[in-house]
Amino acid sequence: MSTDPATSNKAAFSRIHDAVNSGDAEVIARTIDEVVEPDFLFHAPVPMGATGAQALKNVWAVLLRAFPDIHVTVEDVIAEGDKVVFRNTVTGTHQGEYRGLSPTGKSVTYNEIFIVRFANSRIAEIWGVVDVFAQLKQLGAIPT
């Protein structure tokens, strides 16, 4: 494996994407423990109810309950220095409670962009922009 930090950082975050697409909460939590700093900072419009690595685990627990078939497709990856940027398309079927909405059975497709900062080859901080408006509109929570 390359010793180039940008390359190893991309690979570390790709492990998270692979875990997420497994649909297995235990695999996701274990991978988070392996590649995310315990006290990492998470800046994103997502339901967390916690801080540090536990916040990321909580987000994925919520998403897996709401969208058991959730799938994240990485569209673009840009890495420089200690940061990696990912632009993703997320799809899923609303089969569980989400943001106060009962399951609708509707499919959603939305976009997100994350800037991930690494320290000591682990994820130390994430800034995220998630198209929550598109999610809620597709679920019928916001009039079209």
Side-chain angles (χ1 to χ4, degrees):
M1 176 144 190
S2 171
T3 56
D4 172 45
T7 301
S8 60
N9 291 346
K10 283 194 305 189
F13 203 77
S14 290
R15 289 186 57 207
I16 295 275
H17 278 277
D18 291 344
V20 163
N21 286 330
S22 77
D24 184 326
E26 288 182 29
V27 169
I28 294 168
R30 189 168 50 252
T31 304
I32 289 170
D33 285 339
E34 292 170 5
V35 300
V36 176
E37 289 288 341
D39 60 348
F40 106 111
L41 300 171
F42 195 25
H43 316 279
V46 292
M48 289 182 256
T51 59
Q54 188 59 47
L56 197 54
K57 292 177 190 178
N58 289 3
V59 166
W60 282 106
V62 166
L63 289 171
L64 284 173
R65 277 194 305 272
F67 307 98
D69 61 345
I70 195 165
H71 184 81
V72 178
T73 302
V74 177
E75 306 291 353
D76 287 303
V77 180
I78 302 166
E80 186 172 319
D82 65 348
K83 292 191 177 78
V84 180
V85 178
F86 290 88
R87 181 177 68 85
N88 305 321
T89 300
V90 182
T91 57
T93 308
H94 185 215
Q95 299 175 10
E97 186 277 330
Y98 182 68
R99 295 184 180 261
L101 297 172
S102 296
T104 62
K106 294 180 179 180
S107 294
V108 296
T109 300
Y110 61 93
N111 299 304
E112 58 186 20
I113 297 173
F114 290 103
I115 300 171
V116 182
R117 183 179 64 81
F118 286 79
N120 304 315
S121 301
R122 292 172 63 95
I123 296 169
E125 195 164 8
I126 297 176
W127 294 265
V129 178
V130 178
D131 193 348
V132 176
F133 180 80
Q135 284 178 343
L136 297 177
K137 188 173 173 186
Q138 291 171 58
L139 296 175
I142 295 174
T144 55

